[in-house]
Amino acid sequence: MLWRGSQALRRFSTGQAYFKNKLKLALIGQSLFGQEVYSHLCKEGHRVVGVFTVPDKDGKADPLALAAEKDGTPVFKFPRWRVKGKTIKEVAEAYKSVGAELNVLPFCTQFIPMDVIDSPKHGSIIYHPSILPRHRGASAINWTLIMGDKKAGLSVFWADDGLDTGPILLQRSCDVEPNDTVDTLYNRFLFPEGIKAMVEAVQLIADGKAPRIPQPKEGATYEGIRKKENAEISWDQSAEILHNWIRGHDKVPGAWTEINGQMVTFYGSSLLKSSVPPGEPLEIKGAKKPGLVTKNGLVLFGNDGKALMVRNLQFEDGRMIPASQYFSAGETSVVELTAEEVKVAGTIKVIWAGILSNVPVIEDSTDFFKSGASSMDVVRLVEEIRQRCGGLQLQNEDVYMATKFEDFIQKVVRKLRGEDQEVELVVDYVSKEVNEMTVKMPYQCFINGQFTDANDGKTYDTINPTDGSTICKVSYASLVDVDKAVAAAKDAFEKGEWGRMNARERGRLMYRLADLLEENQEELATIEALDSGAVYTLALKTHIGMSVQTFRYFAGWCDKIQGSTIPINQARPNRNLTFTKKEPLGVCAIIIPWNYPLMMLAWKSAACLAAGNTLVLKPAQVTPLTALKFAELSSKAGFPKGVINIIPGSGGVAGQRLSEHPHIRKLGFTGSTAIGKQIMKSCAVSNLKKVSLELGGKSPLIIFNDCELDKAVRMGMGAVFFNKGENCIAAGRLFVEESIHDEFVTKVVEEIKKMKIGDPLDRSTDHGPQNHQAHLEKLLQYCEAGVKEGATLVYGGRQVCRPGFFMEPTVFTDVEDHMYLAKEESFGPIMVISKFQNGDVDGVLQRANNTEYGLASGVFTRDINKAMYVSEKLEAGTVFVNTYNKTDVAAPFGGVKQSGFGKDLGEEALNEYLKTKTVTLEY
């Protein structure tokens, strides 16, 4: 628990700040929190003249004492400060000898006499983990969760003779996430922000700027210390109150109940958002309804009919198991160790001995926690085993579930042999009856072959653009989740089955995945329509259909990736052979947009996987659902765990972390030019990771007067309105030769009037809703800007008067080169038309190329010579002649200029995910 807090601290403490005023401090307290406060105060230039902490426990010094002793700071370890209400004379003299100007109490379990509190020039300040005056007392964090508070926080206050009643110096607050526990709340906020607050408070005092704000009487509460005996669960309550009670006691002291005559403690509670999965009933004393032991955990029921789930159970003997294994607990047989496994066990015994220095001999029966280990020792154990046992990756829960040395070695051996792997993928679906089918949608992060909630339990709503309703809540990946996903991908690449798999077997898995995508195409297309607003028939053909084709195409490439032999000058009499090898890069990150959620995933991930890489993919925040369904199908196809990881969430958190992550070797991004530049910078600064970018466009479409006009009208409309205009290669500007301009516009408007705008699941719909509310508002502002600058609004330009995010197909004419509409991409159903003089080929080419973008372009003419000349001169990655939007999985796709670099699709896409190694040998 505490290690993660200190990691978070290191992220914000990147440098030293030096102030004019410094103080002489006495630190009174203990724990890693106290140690970090001490260290940071020293870094800021304050002088700690004495540390007063608790005596050693079981031969182990407190972390605060260890840090101070290492620095040569005087350390005093008093078991108590007073006897029978009076301050112990020797203790008082020792304290006064250091000459402190301020007492700092970051975390203190001892009672400090008031003559010590008031002794320094500036008195004493104390840290408290609640927003005072609420939750006074020693179990403030527990009560914040038990009471279901929506806000948590911390206070630094001036000590007085009351219990947490002194004047406030400063306070900080944060939101309480739905599945926060005492640990997660402490690690995420109270630990790192508490350290910052203590340091800031000391400096405010040094500068003479520290306030003393009396605590209000209104809202003041005091709750007692939470102990095991008063943590029993009372079952006649709602699911939310039960959830708050369990998480408010997680991990200490632990909420418990009686099952089959023994005390069982619950950990890892979360409210059940979806339907109750099938399971085996479990009678619980006092509960009106039996629990259900399911593949995901133990489902419990409140008196309101709603449910919650707990992940882990702990028995009276200290043994902890996954709740899903309640009925199979104890069935595991003892495994015999091989010679190599005996060596690993010996190494682990040495690690245990180093941590449990107070234990003379580590025996099979030695209990890690009963021997004095704490939560920070758990992290040390896991990390030391990883470093000294060939990268063996354990989880903190592994230690809690096997606390005796013998049991721990058995768990380690089973993990080494892969026997602890999940036999079957557990998916917690959100189900909807829609489009004449039951659509089952995963909503959690997919990391290391498992669906799991975000580390901090945070979620967000994904919205149906057809009516603005919430489809479901989706896990919001945190930095911890990103790091877990990258670690899983790295492990799968370097040590897992994927890295050893031959190319043809890799191709077989990809073919199988393509088959599964095709078998589930109706469900995938329905999810795409719900989540992105794509018209169902288009989603079926393009969004899903091309995704299937892409995976089949690249599956065929897996065993055809080749190097070459190269003749070089021979150094006589020796002979040389030089050849090249194409090798995968390693862990790749992929960040995709919201306009074609599954197809953009396929375009990048298929080439990435065919090349032999592993991946961490972040779907667009507003359209995560088909990517998570893809994750489920990839597992069913047989992809090893860790090869494919999907982390829904924000670009600012998850996306930024991917671009900065030192273990990622390639990042593929499709999105805006502005974000592409930021990503490129982060990739360069972090570890010079390889980058491919498919960015914004303002694709010109030139229509000459010798074209087949009806075809040009039909194709021109598709170039703009295809997929509601949310199309990266959409024709952002049409240049129509003067002699046919008016007729072209008239025909376009006539065809627009025939288009049906409506529910994307209606098979007769031509035009669905825009992807999300913010995008619709941006499009309306785009139209307002065009009218304001003097362009002629011929048709549309308004939101459709119905629920959802619908916009009328829009046509602007008389758009001049200097106008905003002529320069900027709309990414919506807005046709921007400019006329050009008859016969002025070079003039219109100059205008068409007068943009920083260069993704796609098009030309309509019956003159083949003109077509070839124009296609040669247009500055774009793709040129369409007498057609548009005609992409194919075998044809490379990508832009030039500020539309990016690198290719998706075709053989060239493979090179984005490969590196070339040159080998020269002499014989």
Side-chain angles (χ1 to χ4, degrees):
M1 177 182 81
L2 297 180
W3 176 84
R4 287 191 295 177
S6 62
Q7 290 294 98
L9 175 67
R10 280 191 279 273
R11 284 198 291 272
F12 67 68
S13 182
T14 56
Q16 295 185 15
Y18 293 93
F19 301 92
K20 181 178 179 180
N21 305 307
K22 301 298 169 188
L23 294 176
K24 292 190 292 181
L25 308 173
L27 249 72
I28 305 175
Q30 64 223 63
S31 80
L32 186 60
F33 183 76
Q35 176 194 327
E36 291 289 350
V37 171
Y38 164 82
S39 298
H40 281 76
L41 287 171
C42 292
K43 287 179 183 177
E44 297 296 340
H46 297 287
R47 183 184 171 195
V48 179
V49 293
V51 166
F52 298 83
T53 187
V54 294
D56 297 354
K57 182 180 179 182
D58 297 325
K60 295 176 65 176
D62 183 81
L64 174 57
L66 288 173
E69 288 169 347
K70 184 178 179 181
D71 293 342
T73 302
V75 176
F76 304 86
K77 302 178 182 180
F78 300 131
R80 64 185 63 84
W81 288 70
R82 64 179 191 170
V83 174
K84 296 181 179 180
K86 293 184 178 181
T87 305
I88 299 172
K89 181 180 178 181
E90 295 80 4
V91 173
E93 289 175 351
Y95 165 76
K96 291 179 181 179
S97 68
V98 302
E101 297 172 315
L102 173 70
N103 291 334
V104 178
L105 285 73
F107 175 73
C108 183
T109 58
Q110 295 178 314
F111 187 90
I112 310 301
M114 283 307 299
D115 53 344
V116 173
I117 292 292
D118 294 334
S119 177
K121 172 183 175 182
H122 297 290
S124 303
I125 59 170
I126 303 177
Y127 168 85
H128 187 77
S130 81
I131 307 173
L132 292 172
R134 188 163 173 79
H135 302 314
R136 293 169 176 161
S139 296
I141 312 176
N142 304 81
W143 284 106
T144 297
L145 297 173
I146 293 169
M147 300 303 291
D149 292 1
K150 301 302 180 185
K151 289 281 186 182
L154 59 91
S155 304
V156 178
F157 68 97
W158 298 93
D160 65 4
D161 59 358
L163 184 61
D164 303 332
T165 57
I168 301 298
L169 196 160
L170 60 81
Q171 292 182 318
R172 299 285 184 268
S173 67
C174 70
D175 292 333
V176 177
E177 301 299 340
N179 295 324
D180 263 336
T181 64
V182 174
D183 278 6
T184 62
L185 187 56
Y186 185 75
N187 292 332
R188 187 182 79 249
F189 185 82
L190 298 174
F191 184 95
E193 293 300 320
I195 295 163
K196 290 168 66 176
M198 290 298 282
V199 174
E200 182 181 345
V202 170
Q203 194 57 52
L204 286 171
I205 295 169
D207 294 339
K209 298 178 181 179
R212 292 176 180 261
I213 304 169
Q215 291 190 32
K217 294 182 179 179
E218 184 179 355
T221 64
Y222 172 81
E223 296 92 1
I225 296 175
R226 301 314 299 155
K227 296 180 179 179
K228 196 71 175 182
E229 56 265 28
N230 57 26
E232 184 176 5
I233 300 168
S234 176
W235 288 104
D236 191 18
Q237 301 182 87
S238 69
E240 184 175 1
I241 291 175
L242 292 173
H243 166 63
N244 288 337
W245 183 265
I246 294 169
R247 69 185 181 131
H249 292 84
D250 186 345
K251 291 233 174 356
V252 178
W256 62 275
T257 192
E258 187 177 319
I259 301 176
N260 292 328
Q262 69 168 315
M263 179 191 291
V264 178
T265 305
F266 292 165
Y267 298 105
S269 173
S270 60
L271 289 169
L272 198 62
K273 310 180 191 74
S274 58
S275 58
V276 176
E280 190 172 349
L282 176 64
E283 293 294 334
I284 299 172
K285 184 179 178 181
K288 293 183 178 179
K289 187 175 181 180
L292 279 179
V293 177
T294 74
K295 294 177 180 178
N296 296 29
L298 174 61
V299 176
L300 307 169
F301 298 93
N303 61 11
D304 56 353
K306 297 182 180 180
L308 61 147
M309 182 179 289
V310 294
R311 291 197 310 271
N312 299 317
L313 307 175
Q314 188 173 39
F315 299 102
E316 291 179 4
D317 61 1
R319 181 170 50 100
M320 185 181 284
I321 64 165
S324 59
Q325 297 177 12
Y326 179 84
F327 289 113
S328 58
E331 295 178 4
T332 306
S333 59
V334 176
V335 297
E336 294 294 329
L337 275 59
T338 66
E340 189 62 33
E341 290 163 351
V342 169
K343 290 181 181 178
V344 173
T347 301
I348 293 175
K349 180 173 280 192
V350 171
I351 296 171
W352 273 54
I355 296 172
L356 305 176
S357 56
N358 55 304
V359 178
V361 179
I362 303 297
E363 299 176 342
D364 287 347
S365 59
T366 301
D367 187 286
F368 192 68
F369 294 106
K370 291 180 180 178
S371 299
S374 64
S375 56
M376 62 183 175
D377 294 315
V378 172
V379 177
R380 175 181 167 185
L381 176 61
V382 169
E383 288 300 302
E384 282 202 52
I385 289 174
R386 183 181 63 80
Q387 292 174 354
R388 299 175 63 178
C389 297
L392 175 60
Q393 188 64 57
L394 301 177
Q395 303 298 323
N396 292 0
E397 294 295 336
D398 292 328
V399 185
Y400 289 110
M401 291 184 183
T403 61
K404 292 181 180 178
F405 183 75
E406 181 180 30
D407 296 337
F408 186 73
I409 293 300
Q410 290 285 309
K411 176 169 276 293
V412 168
V413 170
R414 289 192 173 91
K415 188 171 284 286
L416 283 170
R417 297 178 183 181
E419 295 175 6
D420 66 335
Q421 295 179 7
E422 292 286 340
V423 177
E424 183 179 351
L425 178 68
V426 176
V427 187
D428 192 8
Y429 296 108
V430 170
S431 298
K432 288 189 179 295
E433 296 294 329
V434 63
N435 202 22
E436 299 182 353
M437 68 179 75
T438 302
V439 176
K440 300 170 73 175
M441 298 172 285
Y443 60 88
Q444 298 167 295
C445 301
F446 185 73
I447 299 173
N448 203 27
Q450 294 181 339
F451 284 104
T452 178
D453 290 336
N455 181 71
D456 55 11
K458 192 172 183 181
T459 62
Y460 69 95
D461 294 340
T462 186
I463 304 299
N464 183 345
T466 301
D467 58 11
S469 65
T470 297
I471 302 170
C472 64
K473 290 187 178 295
V474 177
S475 292
Y476 187 93
S478 66
L479 296 177
V480 174
D481 298 307
V482 177
D483 289 347
K484 285 181 179 178
V486 173
K490 185 172 185 287
D491 192 64
F493 180 79
E494 294 178 351
K495 302 171 188 174
E497 177 187 356
W498 182 256
R500 301 187 298 269
M501 188 178 294
N502 67 61
R504 288 184 184 173
E505 178 64 14
R506 205 162 63 232
R508 188 192 66 78
L509 289 179
M510 292 185 66
Y511 277 123
R512 174 61 180 145
L513 179 53
D515 291 343
L516 286 171
L517 291 171
E518 189 170 51
E519 289 170 18
N520 293 271
Q521 61 183 335
E522 289 86 2
E523 184 179 20
L524 287 164
T526 302
I527 297 172
E528 203 89 319
L530 289 174
D531 206 22
S532 75
V535 172
Y536 175 77
T537 50
L538 175 65
L540 201 60
K541 177 183 181 296
T542 302
H543 291 232
I544 314 305
M546 195 170 188
S547 299
V548 173
Q549 294 174 27
T550 303
F551 269 94
R552 285 196 175 128
Y553 173 81
F554 282 107
W557 267 109
C558 287
D559 61 353
K560 301 173 185 66
I561 298 171
Q562 303 177 50
S564 59
T565 56
I566 303 171
I568 64 170
N569 289 335
Q570 308 291 345
R572 295 179 181 178
N574 300 318
R575 298 176 63 81
N576 300 286
L577 172 63
T578 296
F579 61 91
T580 60
K581 297 173 63 180
K582 297 287 188 179
E583 297 180 341
L585 299 169
V587 180
C588 298
I590 294 173
I591 303 175
I592 57 174
W594 43 259
N595 56 331
Y596 296 103
L598 187 64
M599 193 174 80
M600 292 294 98
L601 176 153
W603 279 23
K604 294 191 188 303
S605 63
C608 173
L609 294 168
N613 302 286
T614 58
L615 65 87
V616 180
L617 183 140
K618 194 200 84 66
Q621 184 171 348
V622 291
T623 54
L625 296 181
T626 44
L628 294 171
K629 189 68 179 180
F630 167 84
E632 177 194 351
L633 296 178
S634 72
S635 180
K636 290 182 177 179
F639 278 79
K641 66 177 186 178
V643 174
I644 295 171
N645 304 273
I646 309 291
I647 48 169
S650 73
V653 176
Q656 183 63 27
R657 177 57 177 157
L658 288 173
S659 66
E660 295 171 343
H661 205 291
H663 294 156
I664 289 174
R665 295 301 170 190
K666 159 69 194 282
L667 190 146
F669 171 75
T670 296
S672 72
T673 297
I675 299 299
K677 290 179 178 179
Q678 182 179 335
I679 284 175
M680 190 173 177
K681 181 179 179 181
S682 297
C683 288
V685 170
S686 56
N687 62 340
L688 275 178
K689 56 178 66 71
K690 191 174 182 179
V691 184
S692 57
L693 304 171
E694 194 251 280
L695 308 175
K698 188 67 176 173
S699 302
L701 174 57
I702 304 173
I703 301 174
F704 289 100
N705 59 14
D706 60 352
C707 71
E708 185 182 332
L709 187 58
D710 287 342
K711 181 179 181 181
V713 169
R714 186 175 68 255
M715 292 285 186
M717 290 182 64
V720 175
F721 302 128
F722 187 81
N723 200 47
K724 311 161 293 174
E726 295 168 353
N727 187 16
C728 49
I729 58 172
R733 191 176 183 193
L734 277 65
F735 294 92
V736 183
E737 200 158 4
E738 190 172 16
S739 60
I740 61 168
H741 174 274
D742 293 349
E743 185 179 1
F744 178 87
V745 172
T746 299
K747 286 179 176 289
V748 165
V749 173
E750 288 173 354
E751 293 301 316
I752 288 176
K753 290 177 180 178
K754 299 175 186 177
M755 294 172 64
K756 180 179 177 180
I757 303 173
D759 184 350
L761 292 173
D762 184 335
R763 305 308 192 263
S764 63
T765 294
D766 299 302
H767 188 80
Q770 304 310 133
N771 187 276
H772 51 281
Q773 178 73 45
H775 183 53
L776 172 62
E777 293 171 357
K778 176 186 171 186
L779 294 175
L780 295 173
Q781 293 169 4
Y782 187 90
C783 292
E784 290 174 6
V787 171
K788 187 178 292 185
E789 283 192 312
T792 301
L793 177 59
V794 176
Y795 190 89
R798 296 169 299 184
Q799 182 174 357
V800 178
C801 187
R802 59 170 292 164
F805 312 141
F806 292 85
M807 181 176 179
E808 296 175 334
T810 299
V811 178
F812 277 99
T813 60
D814 303 318
V815 178
E816 299 177 12
D817 293 354
H818 68 276
M819 292 181 177
Y820 181 78
L821 269 62
K823 296 178 179 180
E824 296 301 324
E825 179 183 29
S826 72
F827 212 66
I830 302 172
M831 184 177 283
V832 176
I833 303 175
S834 301
K835 67 175 66 172
F836 66 95
Q837 292 181 354
N838 293 332
D840 188 9
V841 177
D842 289 325
V844 74
L845 278 170
Q846 184 177 1
R847 295 171 69 189
N849 288 330
N850 186 24
T851 173
E852 276 299 301
Y853 301 111
L855 189 56
S857 60
V859 55
F860 280 84
T861 177
R862 285 191 177 97
D863 186 337
I864 186 62
N865 292 321
K866 187 189 294 182
M868 294 303 294
Y869 177 77
V870 170
S871 64
E872 180 183 331
K873 296 296 183 180
L874 282 170
E875 298 170 358
T878 297
V879 181
F880 298 107
V881 179
N882 293 329
T883 187
Y884 209 88
N885 287 325
K886 199 171 186 66
T887 54
D888 186 88
V889 294
F893 178 93
V896 297
K897 297 194 285 190
Q898 291 199 45
S899 287
F901 51 83
K903 296 294 183 184
D904 292 324
L905 304 178
E907 182 181 0
E908 286 195 40
L910 286 168
N911 294 324
E912 301 295 333
Y913 297 93
L914 292 166
K915 59 187 177 185
T916 302
K917 177 181 287 183
T918 301
V919 180
T920 298
L921 60 90
E922 183 178 278
Y923 63 97

